[in-house]
Amino acid sequence: MSNPEDIPTRLEGKNAARLVCCFLGVGSLVAWNAMLTITDYYYQIFPKYHPSRVLTLVYQLVANVFIITLATKEAKLNTRLRNILGYSIYTVSTFCLIILDLASHGSGSVVAYVLLCLIVALFGLADAFVQGAMVGDLSFMCPDFIQAFMAGLGIAGALTSGLRLITKAIFDKSPDGQRKGALLFIGIATLIELACVFLYTLVFAKLPIVKYYRAKAAKEGAKTVSADLAAAGLQEQAEQVHQMDESKIQKLTKKQLLRQNIDLGINLSLIYVVTLSIFPGFLYENTGEHQLGDWYAPVLVAMYNGWDAISRFIPSIKRLALESRKWITVCVLARLLLVPAFYFTAKYADQGWMLFLTSFLGLSNGYLTVCIFSTAPKGYNGPEANALGNLMCVFLLGGIFAGVCLGWLWLIGNDSF
């Protein structure tokens, strides 16, 4: 049995918690980013099937269906189980990519493509488990934690792009070079996902500052933290959470939270509608041929991911953080101009301008995302912040799905459609 003395009164372990949050953020997106970054390999073996667009559509369709379902039931779900299950699915599915490629010998058969789509669907399922659970959990903790987690999402992209360029350079002229680089890539992603399973299961819940925030949220009526409290040794607090009378818990309903934050939700969706209508499909299929040759698309993806990662650290500097909802809306609406800008740049400008636009796309995407997720939960108690975090993830994934669908419009009039 635990006692009140087991709950830390001093917020110790903040830097360690930020580091773990960042790594968990990397793990929640590294598998999918690895898929996006080796898309040039999948274009080589599945040239007629639009892999960057189809795989993204499959991923987001599954992720959206499950995140909506989970968000409606978030108050009754076991957050610890959601995260462990999500990272475990990521680990197994990334390893299955290696098995599939080895079993099919890198062939471009229809069966191999269907199996690839099924594995990507598992990525979408894992994303629905992890994204909402982690964001909801971190929303009632220190704002630095949600910023670190979001920064990890950006680092995942930068890491995979950097590794892709290195492996492409190493294996570029070797027989079957792209395949070797892709397999190495997926192998690294699998190890990262496995590390996330152990980090969340054995380390994160036991950090003093994390125990403090979860115990605080439990007192406010958050039943989602009970399993994590038990895992941290706070058995008494976990039992008290189970025995709470829900009718006496004071919290806003999801509809009330939605009404108060609909502007942030719509802005978050619009950010990703613009981003995913351009990245990655447009960059792979609609930017033409330039001096960089087959390096062009991987370099564009690397530029996007690099600036997306850097920009996610900017709001951690308080003077540079955008907290005004009005100015967030202005920036998001102004960002819609990127769509015609990319169209005319691809048609009339050289690769230098395309590199600049792609960098700005990543910079604005990461910065505005972190600003919204940091601003939304302020002023809410534990259960409300957790619910709001899940709702924000619904808007995020909804925007991504809409952007992926709109990305197909670039193919109108294209002979490859």
Side-chain angles (χ1 to χ4, degrees):
M1 293 290 289
S2 62
N3 57 66
E5 284 71 31
D6 293 327
I7 304 173
T9 55
R10 296 176 60 188
L11 304 185
E12 298 175 344
K14 183 177 180 179
N15 290 333
R18 289 178 66 185
L19 185 61
V20 173
C21 287
C22 187
F23 195 89
L24 291 173
V26 172
S28 70
L29 205 56
V30 70
W32 175 239
N33 267 326
M35 285 287 298
L36 290 180
T37 310
I38 62 171
T39 302
D40 55 337
Y41 168 62
Y42 288 123
Y43 269 100
Q44 183 184 46
I45 59 177
F46 303 114
K48 297 180 180 179
Y49 300 144
H50 303 287
S52 71
R53 299 183 192 277
V54 173
L55 295 179
T56 306
L57 187 63
V58 171
Y59 176 92
Q60 293 303 331
L61 180 61
V62 174
N64 272 272
V65 169
F66 280 95
I67 191 67
I68 292 171
T69 304
L70 292 169
T72 57
K73 305 290 185 181
E74 54 78 29
K76 298 179 180 179
L77 297 177
N78 183 329
T79 297
R80 182 174 179 80
L81 180 61
R82 278 182 70 178
N83 281 319
I84 293 174
L85 188 59
Y87 284 118
S88 297
I89 293 173
Y90 269 135
T91 304
V92 172
S93 54
T94 49
F95 186 65
C96 284
L97 285 175
I98 299 175
I99 295 174
L100 174 63
D101 194 87
L102 294 175
S104 64
H105 304 288
S107 69
S109 67
V110 175
V111 173
Y113 192 65
V114 171
L115 290 174
L116 178 63
C117 289
L118 291 175
I119 293 173
V120 169
L122 287 177
F123 284 174
L125 176 62
D127 188 21
F129 278 124
V130 170
Q131 197 84 252
M134 284 300 303
V135 171
D137 207 26
L138 299 178
S139 291
F140 58 72
M141 298 187 193
C142 175
D144 290 347
F145 294 174
I146 193 74
Q147 290 175 358
F149 181 79
M150 290 295 159
L153 300 180
I155 291 173
L159 176 66
T160 51
S161 290
L163 287 173
R164 182 58 182 145
L165 294 177
I166 292 170
T167 55
K168 186 174 175 62
I170 294 173
F171 297 112
D172 196 31
K173 295 183 180 180
S174 67
D176 216 12
Q178 275 197 327
R179 185 182 178 215
K180 292 175 182 176
L183 288 174
L184 176 61
F185 220 75
I186 297 299
I188 293 171
T190 303
L191 292 176
I192 292 174
E193 297 297 354
L194 185 61
C196 285
V197 174
F198 287 106
L199 265 179
Y200 187 85
T201 305
L202 304 174
V203 178
F204 189 59
K206 296 179 181 179
L207 294 172
I209 192 169
V210 175
K211 290 165 71 174
Y212 168 81
Y213 279 115
R214 282 178 171 158
K216 181 175 179 289
K219 290 180 180 179
E220 295 170 340
K223 294 194 172 185
T224 56
V225 301
S226 61
D228 281 304
L229 288 174
L234 302 177
Q235 298 288 348
E236 186 176 322
Q237 283 69 33
E239 287 297 324
Q240 289 174 357
V241 173
H242 279 300
Q243 295 170 7
M244 277 188 179
D245 185 353
E246 290 192 24
S247 63
K248 295 181 179 179
I249 299 174
Q250 294 184 344
K251 62 177 182 179
L252 297 175
T253 64
K254 291 183 180 66
K255 287 184 179 180
Q256 290 172 321
L257 289 169
L258 193 58
R259 281 198 295 268
Q260 292 179 8
N261 296 278
I262 190 66
D263 57 331
L264 293 179
I266 292 174
N267 284 334
L268 191 59
S269 289
L270 286 175
I271 290 170
Y272 284 87
V273 166
V274 171
T275 298
L276 269 293
S277 66
I278 298 167
F279 175 88
F282 179 87
L283 300 184
Y284 274 103
E285 297 187 7
N286 298 86
T287 50
E289 296 182 3
H290 296 273
Q291 295 176 352
L292 289 172
D294 63 355
W295 282 82
Y296 189 48
V299 168
L300 286 176
V301 171
M303 292 297 288
Y304 168 86
N305 283 326
W307 283 105
D308 179 63
I310 292 170
S311 67
R312 290 171 186 259
F313 288 95
I314 295 175
S316 62
I317 303 172
K318 291 186 178 181
R319 290 185 178 181
L320 300 179
L322 187 61
E323 296 183 351
S324 167
R325 295 188 176 213
K326 180 181 72 174
W327 282 109
I328 288 175
T329 301
V330 169
C331 292
V332 169
L333 292 177
R335 201 168 174 269
L336 294 173
L337 295 173
L338 284 172
V339 175
F342 268 93
Y343 172 78
F344 288 110
T345 300
K347 199 166 186 179
Y348 302 111
D350 60 20
Q351 62 187 23
W353 282 104
M354 184 60 72
L355 288 167
F356 169 76
L357 269 184
T358 304
S359 299
F360 185 76
L361 181 73
L363 180 70
S364 56
N365 183 84
Y367 175 75
L368 290 171
T369 297
V370 175
C371 287
I372 288 175
F373 274 106
S374 299
T375 300
K378 289 182 178 179
Y380 294 105
N381 62 28
E384 292 167 346
N386 183 70
L388 184 56
N390 277 268
L391 289 173
M392 287 294 108
C393 285
V394 171
F395 280 104
L396 184 148
L397 290 177
I400 291 175
F401 182 65
V404 169
C405 293
L406 290 172
W408 284 86
L409 296 178
W410 295 108
L411 295 179
I412 294 176
N414 191 325
D415 293 336
S416 64
F417 186 68

